[in-house]
């Protein structure tokens, strides 16, 4: 029997942070788009496995895999697993990250180092493996943040890590010239996830919700919709930071 034509096989997506609020929605959306999805998790295997079951129950294909995105060997094994399970990698969506907040003058340097390790080193390693392995016609989608532009007080350390993500994204898009691979970042604004809402009182949440002309917080499905577009039909969107924030400026 002849080997199947790879172009007729389902595209394969690796979603880091796939057990998180936005990562969960992205995993579901890409599976609904027909992709086989490897749902990465850092420590929450139970949630990741629930997502895999939900995708499978809906007729999709998914598996879960745990790894530290800042460990080069574990990141390589994550991509090895995707290739072993599904034959290759076409889409990498890097949602994994942490957000620790404080004014610059009071910021704990151990927290800064922790964010640097996960948000910057983690993005670098995931992009490195993605760039080495992703197939022609593929897409790499990083996660930045609208706070890089909005400059909210207390977000100095976090915004600095996401500014680094922006730089990596724009440069990698150029470095992959000739590969037919797009590299972009989405930059969500205030989005109703546990990560964003943690520690905020209702008055703060209401203020943030009113920043957008649409007068609400984003929800994970809003972000997943943009990821689906960039990872799928939007082949002429490349080397961009796409602000997905409802019009917050």
């Amino acid at each position: 029997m002849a080997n199947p034509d790879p172009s007729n096989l389902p595209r394969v997506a690796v979603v880091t942070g796939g057990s998180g609020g936005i990562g969960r929605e992205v995993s579901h959306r890409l599976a609904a788009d027909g992709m086989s999805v490897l749902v990465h998790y850092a420590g929450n295997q139970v949630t990741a496995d629930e997502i895999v079951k939900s995708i499978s129950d809906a007729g999709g294909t998914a598996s879960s895999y745990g790894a530290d995105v800042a460990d080069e060997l574990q990141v390589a094994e994550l991509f090895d697993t995707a290739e072993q399970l599904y034959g290759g990698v076409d889409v990498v969506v890097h949602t994994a990250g942490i957000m620790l907040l404080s004014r610059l003058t009071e910021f704990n340097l151990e927290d800064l180092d922790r964010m640097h390790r996960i948000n910057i080193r983690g993005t670098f390693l995931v992009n490195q493996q993605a760039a080495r392995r992703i197939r022609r016609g593929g897409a790499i989608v990083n996660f930045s943040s609208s706070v890089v532009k909005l400059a909210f007080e207390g977000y100095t350390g976090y915004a600095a890590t996401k500014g680094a993500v922006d730089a990596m994204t724009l440069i990698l898009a150029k470095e992959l010239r000739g590969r037919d691979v797009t590299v972009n970042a989405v930059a969500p604004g205030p989005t109703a996830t546990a990560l964003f809402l943690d520690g905020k009182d209702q008055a703060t949440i209401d203020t943030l919700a009113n920043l957008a002309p649409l007068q609400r917080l984003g929800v994970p499905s809003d972000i997943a919709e943009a990821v689906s577009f960039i990872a799928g039909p939007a082949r002429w969107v490349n080397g961009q930071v796409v602000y997905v924030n409802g019009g917050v400026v």
Side-chain angles (χ1 to χ4, degrees):
M1 178 181 292
N3 291 328
D5 181 354
S7 65
N8 294 328
L9 296 175
R11 298 177 83 207
V12 178
V14 174
V15 180
T16 70
S19 62
I22 291 176
R24 173 199 298 261
E25 199 67 35
V26 168
S27 297
H28 278 289
R29 177 58 186 262
L30 296 184
D33 290 344
M35 299 187 198
S36 299
V37 181
L38 185 59
V39 180
H40 158 269
Y41 63 91
N44 197 344
Q45 182 176 358
V46 172
T47 299
D49 288 345
E50 289 173 352
I51 295 166
V52 168
K53 183 179 185 303
S54 176
I55 290 172
S56 299
D57 289 347
T61 302
S63 304
S64 64
Y65 189 86
D68 176 357
V69 294
D71 183 302
E72 60 267 39
L73 295 179
Q74 293 187 38
V75 173
E77 290 169 358
L78 170 67
F79 280 81
D80 287 343
T81 300
E83 292 175 341
Q84 290 162 7
L85 288 173
Y86 303 121
V89 177
D90 302 287
V91 172
V92 176
V93 183
H94 181 54
T95 79
I98 61 172
M99 181 170 64
L100 305 172
L101 304 180
S102 175
R103 296 177 68 87
L104 185 147
T105 51
E106 289 86 37
F107 206 95
N108 183 295
L109 293 182
E110 290 183 359
D111 286 344
L112 181 65
D113 290 343
R114 184 179 168 209
M115 277 202 300
H116 183 284
R117 182 178 186 277
I118 296 173
N119 294 3
I120 298 178
R121 179 183 169 89
T123 300
F124 192 96
L125 291 177
V126 169
N127 278 232
Q128 187 177 65
Q129 287 296 324
R132 290 172 177 173
R133 303 185 190 227
I134 201 162
R135 296 187 287 208
R136 292 189 68 84
I140 299 171
V141 184
N142 289 320
F143 263 66
S144 179
S145 172
S146 288
V147 77
V148 175
K149 178 173 67 172
L150 298 174
F152 292 154
E153 293 183 23
Y155 283 75
T156 310
Y158 177 71
T161 68
K162 292 303 184 178
V165 171
D166 290 356
M168 282 186 268
T169 299
L170 302 183
I171 294 171
L172 182 58
K174 294 182 178 180
E175 291 182 347
L176 293 185
R177 174 184 292 273
R179 291 274 304 278
D180 190 24
V181 172
T182 63
V183 187
N184 295 286
V186 295
T191 305
T193 65
L195 177 71
F196 179 79
L197 297 175
D198 183 43
K200 294 181 174 67
D201 58 29
Q202 190 59 49
T204 299
I205 293 170
D206 290 343
T207 297
L208 292 169
N210 200 47
L211 290 176
L214 300 177
Q215 294 185 302
R216 66 172 176 87
L217 292 177
V219 294
S221 60
D222 293 322
I223 314 305
E225 184 175 40
V227 171
S228 172
F229 179 63
I230 294 170
R235 298 303 302 166
W236 201 237
V237 179
N238 189 29
Q240 304 297 317
V241 178
V242 181
Y243 289 88
V244 186
N245 61 23
V248 178
V249 295

